[in-house]
Amino acid sequence: MPQRLFIGGRWVEPDGGHYPVTDPATEETVGWAPEASRGQVDAACAAARAAFGAWSRTAPEERAVILARAADLIRERLEPYAALAQAETGATTRTARGMQVGVAAARFRRYARVEPAEWAVPPQLNEAGVMGPASVLGALAVRQPVGVVACVTSYNNPWANAAGKVAPALAMGNTVVVKPAPQDPLSVYRMAEALQAAGAPPGVVNVVSGRSVEVGEAAVASPDVDMVSFTGSTVVGQRIAEGCGRAMKRQLMELGGKGAALVFDDADLAAAVRGIGTTYSFHSGQICTAPTRVLAQRGVYERLVEQLAAYARRLPVGDPGEPGTVVGPVISAEHRERVEAYVALGRKEGATVVAGGERPPYERGFYVAPALLADCGNDMRVAREEIFGPVVVVIPFDDEEEGVALAGDSEYGLIDYVWSADVARAFRVARRLRTGGVGINTVGRNMEAPFGGFRRSGVGRDTGSYALHAYSEVQSIVWPG
């Protein structure tokens, strides 16, 4: 059955009809997504505005119960939800179940935990002022919901990405309008379905989709929207930020990345190869946090290139539904051509393609063999631009100073990585890197740690308690002590 929009607690037929959602592995139609009109986006934003008052006044404990129920429902329906996510995104079974649907359920469960929304500020003695020659003033800082949040999500992880916005926004008492990526919106409608079944009141959650850029633009521009939370490319994020600036709207921007992985001479190379190799194994490199720009100290450069090439060549590429598959397809034929064009560009710039980059001999599916480019310079486009695919470039450096300088010579600053047996040096280097996060001898993430980027990688921080701050305004209440 063709999918309908979710507006004001009702499933609504789209004014713009439907369009096909394509399975990247088979090129078959997964389902039919709704194309919203500008009027329907406006209606969704108005519904969220109408629901905001009552929802913001609902006790945090009651909101938490709904989020916990949603987490339970998502876990109960993990198998069908993961199957849909796999069909929409081309993710491997492990990724679809664990990193997509599983993480989404965990995020709803996390924000079902009620945290204090107010904290005392130390009293202040005013020696002179409107209260007389000397007075003591007490104060309380209170987190208040922002209002209506437009959540614009990316295609690489429709479950975890949307949940990372919706769950903390709802926990803080905001209402939301979700505009999912056009390539894989069906999973986000299942999330709305779970929230509705969990007891979310009408208008608290709304979902509108479409291939037209007008759908996202209408959500961002709506006068009913107080904040925009966006995950996607830096170019699109800049346009959204300009609109938010004109209207003085709050924004949370998680944008592109070109993560540097500094591998020093004393590093555990096997561990470094496994960590860097996640670029290939996690959703075929379509992730902004991937360590795609490897900076290898001269003493290990040749061995690292050799081991990375061997690692890339032995990764099983193919049907993401098969248990042994590690690398599935990229999201679309257009994106495959983009990734292939970057590999060709790397050759033209003087890089050596030591592994992969070719199109596997499958009749169907948007596959790219994991590629490794050596002999790169940091001035090459393949080293500076976000490819968002299974492509890793390797650049040599001589000493710590040069390594840090190369890492910092980038427009991006999302997450960098350091591999070294010298823990003191690793932490010293980490503190010098101009990025929102640094992984030391790991690519793992602590989901309570702040997440976000420097420079063109974004604005703001989320995850853990930081997301509750991101989706709230801080109000101060002052009184005579």
Side-chain angles (χ1 to χ4, degrees):
M1 175 184 291
Q3 178 63 54
R4 291 178 292 175
L5 305 168
F6 189 59
I7 300 174
R10 296 173 52 244
W11 296 96
V12 179
E13 289 294 333
D15 290 342
H18 294 84
Y19 65 90
V21 175
T22 302
D23 184 333
T26 66
E27 302 184 43
E28 296 176 354
T29 298
V30 175
W32 295 88
E35 183 79 33
S37 65
R38 178 175 286 273
Q40 288 179 312
V41 176
D42 290 342
C45 296
R49 171 62 64 202
F52 171 68
W55 180 250
S56 65
R57 292 189 297 271
T58 300
E61 293 78 8
E62 293 180 39
R63 298 197 294 258
V65 167
I66 292 173
L67 296 181
R69 285 179 190 152
D72 290 341
L73 287 169
I74 292 169
R75 288 194 183 280
E76 289 171 10
R77 301 169 184 175
L78 186 143
E79 293 295 329
Y81 284 171
L84 175 60
Q86 183 173 67
E88 283 194 288
T89 66
T92 62
T93 300
R94 181 180 179 182
T95 296
R97 291 180 181 176
M99 299 302 294
Q100 295 196 7
V101 182
V103 168
R107 285 179 168 171
F108 277 103
R109 175 65 62 185
R110 161 64 179 85
Y111 293 106
R113 188 172 78 216
V114 178
E115 296 188 13
E118 58 186 46
W119 58 97
V121 177
Q124 179 183 358
L125 173 63
N126 288 352
E127 295 185 1
V130 295
M131 299 299 292
S135 60
V136 177
L137 296 178
L140 191 67
V142 181
R143 281 202 299 254
Q144 298 278 19
V146 178
V148 176
V149 182
C151 303
V152 185
T153 63
S154 59
Y155 71 75
N156 61 334
N157 200 329
W159 275 96
N161 187 251
K165 299 178 186 301
V166 172
L170 296 185
M172 272 309 307
N174 302 283
T175 55
V176 299
V177 177
V178 188
K179 193 279 174 186
Q183 296 93 334
D184 48 16
L186 302 179
S187 288
V188 180
Y189 285 104
R190 300 289 76 74
M191 186 181 298
E193 183 179 79
L195 282 161
Q196 183 184 39
V204 168
V205 178
N206 307 269
V207 184
V208 289
S209 59
R211 289 185 296 187
S212 170
V213 296
E214 184 181 58
V215 177
E217 290 175 348
V220 170
S222 171
D224 285 314
V225 167
D226 303 292
M227 173 180 174
V228 177
S229 177
F230 172 72
T231 298
S233 73
T234 296
V235 171
V236 175
Q238 285 178 307
R239 293 204 299 266
I240 291 174
E242 289 170 1
C244 288
R246 286 192 295 271
M248 296 302 293
K249 294 182 181 183
R250 286 284 299 275
Q251 56 181 289
L252 179 61
M253 298 282 170
E254 197 257 287
L255 307 178
K258 191 71 175 179
L262 285 87
V263 183
F264 287 92
D265 285 346
D266 62 350
D268 179 339
L269 286 193
V273 168
R274 287 194 300 271
I276 295 164
T278 60
T279 298
Y280 304 131
S281 60
F282 184 68
H283 205 9
S284 303
Q286 297 167 116
I287 179 169
C288 53
T289 57
T292 56
R293 186 168 55 110
V294 178
L295 308 177
Q297 198 164 13
R298 296 278 181 186
V300 294
Y301 176 80
E302 291 186 3
R303 282 185 292 148
L304 183 61
V305 169
E306 180 182 338
Q307 291 181 32
L308 280 172
Y311 186 91
R313 292 189 191 106
R314 66 174 177 262
L315 291 176
V317 180
D319 182 354
E322 291 295 323
T325 297
V326 176
V327 183
V330 295
I331 193 67
S332 66
E334 293 79 11
H335 192 57
R336 176 178 60 186
E337 291 174 0
R338 180 177 185 271
V339 173
E340 291 172 337
Y342 267 108
V343 174
L345 174 63
R347 283 195 182 95
K348 185 177 180 180
E349 290 181 310
T352 302
V353 181
V354 293
E358 73 278 2
R359 187 176 299 188
Y362 303 136
E363 291 184 4
R364 289 182 173 274
F366 311 128
Y367 296 97
V368 179
L372 181 69
L373 279 63
D375 305 320
C376 295
N378 206 50
D379 58 341
M380 294 180 177
R381 284 180 59 192
V382 289
R384 304 196 69 81
E385 299 176 10
E386 185 177 37
I387 299 173
F388 217 61
V391 181
V392 172
V393 303
V394 189
I395 302 166
F397 71 92
D398 290 310
D399 55 26
E400 182 178 314
E401 286 298 320
E402 184 185 11
V404 171
L406 285 171
D409 183 16
S410 173
E411 293 182 329
Y412 297 104
L414 188 56
I415 294 186
D416 282 351
Y417 304 88
V418 180
W419 270 276
S420 173
D422 184 340
V423 176
R425 173 169 65 178
F427 273 88
R428 180 176 68 243
V429 169
R431 293 293 297 269
R432 296 181 64 190
L433 298 175
R434 297 287 295 165
T435 57
V438 181
I440 294 179
N441 297 324
T442 183
V443 292
R445 281 180 55 196
N446 182 326
M447 291 299 180
E448 288 298 311
F451 178 72
F454 289 12
R455 300 192 293 270
R456 287 168 59 87
S457 284
V459 176
R461 297 293 182 271
D462 67 357
T463 68
S465 297
Y466 297 90
L468 299 176
H469 286 277
Y471 292 97
S472 62
E473 298 277 17
V474 179
Q475 177 189 60
S476 60
I477 302 175
V478 180
W479 65 91

